[in-house]
């Protein structure tokens, strides 16, 4: 069940049976020579959509631009300042809480978002902790899950790509986007075969260290078929993980 | 050409031939008994995608949650505070300007966004006007166009729906989303046939005035076929309008 | 009745009979070779004062510096960033609401303010829509009216200045200020007679397009006598317009 | 010379001979049973206008709403949060600096503004101290003067009102406003004759301590004649004080 | 009693007998050739600690970085923007208020902090004045005291240093830090013997006027013995001053 | 070498030989029945001081209040909102960068700070990535290290406390503070012996789950002797870790 394709009476009915929602959250940033700029938003979006279709869980709209300052030396990257991103997550959460949602599962596709999302959670909880939230509202409960950390998904990725999975523009994430958008598959020769590793600082420094944008990966191995396997496994694991979140004490 | 489905080298190449981009911007908010919560984001997104496919113009990711405080009494609506939205548009623009984009065409699907988008433009221009923008950067030029104001589109909508087009949850916009997502078509009886009109204030007031969310419209007339006609006309008009923006002195 | 010339017990008594107030809002910005920098604040101020004197309606202090980034290449212009202006309108409104005012009529003299004022309204309403406003407070109702849009005023201006009214540093607004401050009348030759038209972007661009600051106008036609006619008509229309706002459902 | 009654070419010419400006800054807040809500803005405004007329010094528009949270339990008071006020003073200063003004003399009428104005100065200077101001801009120099501290003015006030001058809604400030607006003179019996003294905290506490709004004063002594004497003395002292500021090393 | 060395049950017990706390607040900024960068935090900290040990009054953690933009041209200085400092004081106060503290005594060691601390108080009180604070919370009462203004302390300092006490990097404050940290005593020849006086603007201007950082002082006279005398007198005076604050109506 | 006990000429000399600094950063929050409220600030402070004394590395002042919203239901806890904390870290870093520091090692004592510190780093780097930092400044490089993750420290803690180390109010951190402040050692019986585990949400929820504040720990085992061993090992490891950071490419 997709929120953006639902009417408000359908959401009203959903809230009678569940107070939980999954919100895909990603980034729009360079993903190397053959990866899509939308990779980090597309991955959680397609996995969540598949899970929602199979289970009836409500999937929110995708938060598609995140914290990507380090990729700004590559054209096409769009980034929010962390302070802006905290304000936006705060507003999304306040809106959903207003309707009665009590558990929000942020399903993340970008490592660079993790710190800011967690900071946003503290900003949100702080309203209740300081007794400043509206008197009648129930404290909301937020949860962050990166798609590659769902049960079994990491093992599958390592099995599919024993060499050159890497940590940015990974073979797995590029595969997932190829499964989602077969027309966008790009064949690019890469040199070196496997990209270097290193720390992440500002954008100019990043481009000096990682001239084509990849970190530690060889995404020329990516295929739509392998991506499909990952989507199938991840979407199934997502349903279970979300249910445990709803049931958690 | 879709930014989120492109690689950074493809954007690099695009910038050699054009400094302009179209960014769809909408809202996630109730659209009456049979309208989709994503309507205002879906409309500019599908029209822009069609235009981008036909022309090679670069289409950015969709800014999909906007200023919708007045719809918050209907479940599913998600809203940014105007101050948050200004910060986010500022960051998107700063990112694009960093890459060398000089003309950004914000293609809007939500009347409630107009004031905040224009305020954001002034916040952005103000950096140059106060000489605070980076010394080497070229002033960016922003432009706002609502899809229903493209040449010929208003006439077409009135011709398709001579009665009950309305101003929120319009027959036209619901049609466009039905063309985009045929599986999401919803059949709902509406009472009254045509919704009332009135001022827009806060959310509780809105729901009192417009109990099912519509303003002045009868969207039970919406069909995917009519939506397809609107998309075809609007996407064609969009290409011309964008080209005039690029050429404008 | 002028708030700044009243004592608090007088406002206390006023609140027994009315919950409404008119607040003039303008800008301090260049108005061409013979126009006053205060034009956009002076116009709503003098029209409102006249209306207040005639009717007993309470007139608030003038919000005299607004959003004028595009005029900053002309000395004397003072501008707020939109984000600052939203915060200030928010604070003025919170103060008035605290006292029991329920309807605030913002009487505007500057086109460049419109977007930011409307964004501020949404910021204000959002507190109630998200249930974050104080539990005991009544939602406030804000309204924006530009003085030149009051009933009959546009017609009068066009009749007084059939040629060269223009859109910035208009013959009408300069006339109003001359009526208000006869000692400040300035005789200046203008070339060209009627200023050019064009888009409004940042300050340097503005000065390149409109070298003496005017847009589309010939304010050398302005006279205090014509200004007086406009003030008389507008102040009368304002009383009626405000009363309709108070009575509106 | 009044900025709001000048044209931009007149300011341009002024900048050829001086880089300094006086900006009246006050508050809109209750001033006891017979004092005007605008008192703290009116006093610096009329004194500065008189000084500007006599000397040719440029007088900016009046910053007429300031930090007055403690008066909010009395109707008519309007207050900015200190954080908003800092942003607004920052913007006014950035605008004036953009034009080449190098010395800004903030002429204050409200004790409750002093802390926030000084904090704003540090916010402004900090841009240069951290090397974040525009590379080509000259550091601006701000100065704060309360009108009652101008040379000789305090002595005159004590001589005119040896008993019951007080510290809020003072006999002197009410007199100045009566000189400025003779039609607004109000005759009110006050009990007790001289108001109590005490600390200033939040608004409800303030009203409990000072039920009619005065602190330590008997403003029933105020007359327009005495106000005129104060204006004459203060405006003369202001010219000298401003010239010393301009000449200061 | 030191908060940072206490457990929460100990604070819980303290709150049964008192709702007051002393919070030392200072700055980290240059203090001339022989003064410590931490001087303005160390002075209130050691005086308060001595007072807390003697009396059982609760002493909070030290707010050790404040508003010091004017010292930024000297290495080691760390400064908050006033807007950041207001937010931080607001958060410290909200936290303490949440626990039931009703009187917070900010014990200050830096003149440059005074304006911003007072602005922060208004920001805090404003929540109650606008009825935005939590419905159940008691308004907090804040108080600012500079250590050098405690009863008898100024006289003692003048007696110990009849010449060259000065106003920045004073002989007294350096003495206090030497008493606190005898190992940090520094012997430095100073030229001129007594530093010049002048206004405080931005950092580069400050360094031009005061090349070694001092204003009006000869801190080469400082000794740990004299510092000890000041600490003894000030800590005793602090206990009485705090008790008067607690008892104040 | 302690910054707060140094003079500015000493920092000036230090900058001739090193561009790096260690800044302890912690929190003021409840640490169970026998732990100090200052634990998370004290631990990095004492370890860093020891390392600075041994090596000559410059140690900055301690950032002693952090992100601790979840502990606010226990008296004595003081917390910054994440947005405030980001602004403060931004200001500290801007100040240090102004002096020429190029590598800042944030030495952290509180798990709840990690997300916000990393978000602050992105906020800081973003200025350079968007080309908004001052033209002449070198990009700064920030690094975050939690003291318990220094090489060998985790092993030592597990060896000292094989059972009941836990994750909040750990036996190790309480031991470190006892070594630092032997007078503050507290003997408290705890029930249960080892505290429960669970998720961290808002403050009221936290107190329900963890009634005495501990998570998974038995800090009644803590002793100053064991704390001294940890300080010795950690301070030695810190010197090496910092040197690697300075040398890192």
């Amino acid at each position: 069940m997709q929120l953006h394709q639902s009417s408000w009476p359908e959401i009203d009915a959903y809230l009678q049976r569940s107070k939980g929602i999954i919100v895909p959250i990603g980034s729009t940033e360079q993903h190397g020579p053959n990866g899509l700029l939308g990779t980090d938003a597309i991955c959680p979006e397609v996995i969540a959509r598949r899970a929602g279709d199979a289970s009836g869980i409500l999937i929110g709209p995708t938060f598609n631009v995140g914290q990507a300052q380090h990729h700004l030396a590559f054209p096409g990257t769009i980034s929010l300042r962390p302070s802006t991103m905290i304000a936006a997550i705060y507003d999304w959460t306040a809106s959903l809480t207003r309707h009665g949602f009590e558990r929000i599962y942020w399903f993340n596709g970008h490592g660079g978002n993790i710190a800011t999302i967690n900071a946003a959670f503290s900003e949100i909880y702080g309203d209740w902790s300081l007794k400043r939230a509206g008197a009648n509202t129930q404290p909301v409960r937020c949860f962050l899950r990166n798609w590659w950390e769902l049960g079994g998904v990491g093992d599958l990725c390592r099995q599919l790509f024993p060499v050159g999975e890497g940590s940015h523009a990974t073979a797995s994430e590029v595969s997932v986007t190829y499964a989602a958008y077969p027309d966008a598959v790009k064949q690019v020769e890469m040199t070196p075969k496997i990209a270097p590793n290193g720390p992440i600082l500002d954008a100019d420094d990043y481009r000096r260290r990682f001239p084509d944008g990849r970190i530690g990966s060889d995404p020329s191995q990516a295929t739509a078929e392998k991506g499909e396997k990952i989507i199938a496994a991840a979407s199934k694991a997502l349903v279970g993980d979300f249910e445990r979140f709803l049931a958690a004490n």
Side-chain angles (χ1 to χ4, degrees), chain A residues 6-7 16 18 20 26 85 87 104 134 137 154 175 194 208 248:
Chain A
S6 306
S7 67
Q16 302 306 312
S18 173
M85 191 173 177
I104 306 180
T137 58
S175 295
I194 296 185
R208 270 192 300 272

Side-chain angles (χ1 to χ4, degrees), chain A residues 6 9 14 17 60-61 73 78 80 89 99 118 131 145 189 203 226 241:
Chain A
S6 306
Y14 177 88
R17 62 181 192 270
I78 304 179
L80 299 179
I89 293 174
H99 304 312
N118 278 311
K131 306 281 186 201
R145 177 69 74 198
E189 290 289 306
K226 292 183 175 176
D241 199 52

